[in-house]
Amino acid sequence: MHPDLTERILQHLETADKVDTLDLATLFAEDHQKIVGSLKSIQAHGELVTAETVTHKSLGLTDEGRAVVEHGSHEALVYALVPPEGIAQAALMTAGGANAKVGFSKAMSHGWILVDKSVTPPLVRRKVDTITDVVRNQLQQVALGKGDQLPAKEVADFKKRKLLQETTTKSFVLARGPEFATTLTKLETDLTVEMLANGLWDQLKFKAYNFDALGAPPTRGHLHPLLKVRTEFRQIFLEMGFSEMPTNNYVESSFWNFDALYQPQQHPARDAHDTFFVNHPARSHKFPQDYLERVKKVHSVGGYGSKGYGYDWKLEEAQKNLLRTHTTAVSARMLYKLANQEGGFKAAKYFSIDKVFRNETLDATHLAEFHQVEGVIADVGLTLGDLIGTLYEFFRKLGITQLEFKPAYNPYTEPSMEIFCYHPGLAKWIEVGNSGVFRPEMLLPMGLPENVNVIAWGLSLERPTMIKYGINNIRDLVGPKVDLKMVEEGPICRLDHV
Ligand code: FB9
């Protein structure tokens, strides 16, 4: 809105019965859009003016038309390029540039030039000594606003040659309205208690509601990138027919976290340097007694074809409570249930994505807690080949197709493999997880049938999230120093499902 412009328009209408906004733009030497903007502002204050929409069709020069006015028509330019001694047609086309062909044709039809075929190669020569560039002159008339004086035939030809174009301009014919005034009354934007109490509301003018205005975006929550990536992983597992395990217990007994996985009680991972033990409550006391006895036996004297570890297994060690160091503790609970469910064992595919805790050295990519992603498949006769095939399918759905496997060691799987992939985004090979076939010393004490094998693999949620969102330090992803803007502005996560 241009305050002085709105009042100048109103003052003009005090004496003029009608006026077109285009004329006002000329009169006030203002851009027509500014005049229209002021009109909108006047109309927001009530019916001070009436405005009738008018459409003006006019002829205007195209960019090419303007170039002709400036430099001459294509045919005149071609004529000017023909020297007294003549010129080969190919050379003339090259010298004439993009419009040489149309210029040559027009110059020939005007009788300005000819092709002398009595010589080899044939030469283009001038046929007349001087020319009049009528096209340029006529377009100059259009540039001066006299396009309406051009014969219709010429207009049609120039439009065809894309030298002229029809332009449509919308303007408004203004007149005084029922609430005409030469000044704008301030519009109220709020109806207040005072206005209602003292009756002033009846004399005031209120700004009209703009129901087309966009509402202010409500403040709302935002998903953390980790949770966005978790959703993508969950979708992949569900697509592959896996069921989610209940992982809602951060505190676990050493029995389920280690002993059930045939991890010996003197294993360094069970030391307080690697594990967070819980003081209150320090111990668990409820275990499936018969199963616990079988676990004790397989650790100490062996069984199921294994010689065991040959140490004195202690209940007190198994009772110690801790923060679970892997979600494989939950997998152990689920496999035990699977072995002892009503109706006996049935094949199953489980997954989990949840927090685990390790008392390890912290660095830019490792904290004392991270989310483990784990997949488990229990079925008759599963082999390492099934595990490898499943890993290819799982990572294919993450957009990863090149995998390599390296033999590794886990206390609870044999064989075990570290998983590496060529990451196209990083353009390098990276470690992406660990995997293996659970040992019979873990599965058979649970009561699983001898012909049942269980394959499993694990990775973290933080590493793929950091890669996906370009985060180098894990403290920029999780923890007290996280910039909430990163959470608010983090884009949607698509893990290249293929
Ligand atoms: O996640 C890891 N890397 C990774 C994963 C995905 C990724 O991007 C996706 C492909 C698009 C990029 C990187 N790693 C495992 C490898 C390394 O980051 C490693 O330095 C850190 N590891 C964690 C453990 O560190 C203490 C990641 C975590 C991990 C390792 C092993 C398991 C789970 C998590 C496991 C297991 C397992 C094995 C056998 C049976 C059951 C579970």
Side-chain angles (χ1 to χ4, degrees), residues 159-176:
K159 278 183 184 176
K160 194 175 167 196
R161 291 180 63 178
K162 297 194 180 348
L163 300 175
L164 280 185
Q165 62 190 356
E166 288 275 356
T167 53
T168 304
T169 308
K170 188 171 85 170
S171 68
F172 302 91
V173 175
L174 309 183
R176 288 185 294 276

Side-chain angles (χ1 to χ4, degrees), residues 10 23 60 125 137 154 257 261 318 406 423 470:
L10 293 170
D23 297 332
R125 300 185 191 284
N137 298 340
E154 303 295 351
N257 197 80
L261 302 178
K406 182 180 162 191
H423 194 287

Side-chain angles (χ1 to χ4, degrees), residues 358 360 366 372 430-432 434-435 456 458-460 463-464 467:
R358 301 205 183 167
E360 286 181 337
H366 291 85
Q372 181 171 337
I430 58 169
E431 183 187 351
V432 290
N434 194 301
S435 64
L459 61 153
S460 76
R463 288 296 293 131
I467 292 171

Side-chain angles (χ1 to χ4, degrees), residues 392-453:
Y392 268 103
E393 179 60 8
F394 177 77
F395 282 98
R396 185 184 66 81
K397 287 176 172 286
L398 291 168
I400 299 290
T401 54
Q402 290 174 273
L403 294 181
E404 294 289 346
F405 302 96
K406 182 180 162 191
Y409 173 75
N410 291 321
Y412 40 87
T413 52
E414 185 57 36
S416 307
M417 304 183 300
E418 284 175 346
I419 312 161
F420 293 82
C421 86
Y422 182 77
H423 194 287
L426 300 175
K428 65 179 183 178
W429 285 89
I430 58 169
E431 183 187 351
V432 290
N434 194 301
S435 64
V437 181
F438 284 132
R439 298 180 61 150
E441 294 95 331
M442 168 184 165
L443 302 179
L444 297 179
M446 291 180 172
L448 284 166
E450 283 198 12
N451 62 348
V452 166
N453 292 113

Side-chain angles (χ1 to χ4, degrees), residues 70 96 103 130 189 293 297 303 365 381 405 464 473 476 487:
E70 189 174 349
T130 60
T189 53
E293 288 304 324
K297 181 172 179 292
T365 57
F405 302 96
N473 189 315
D476 296 329
V487 178

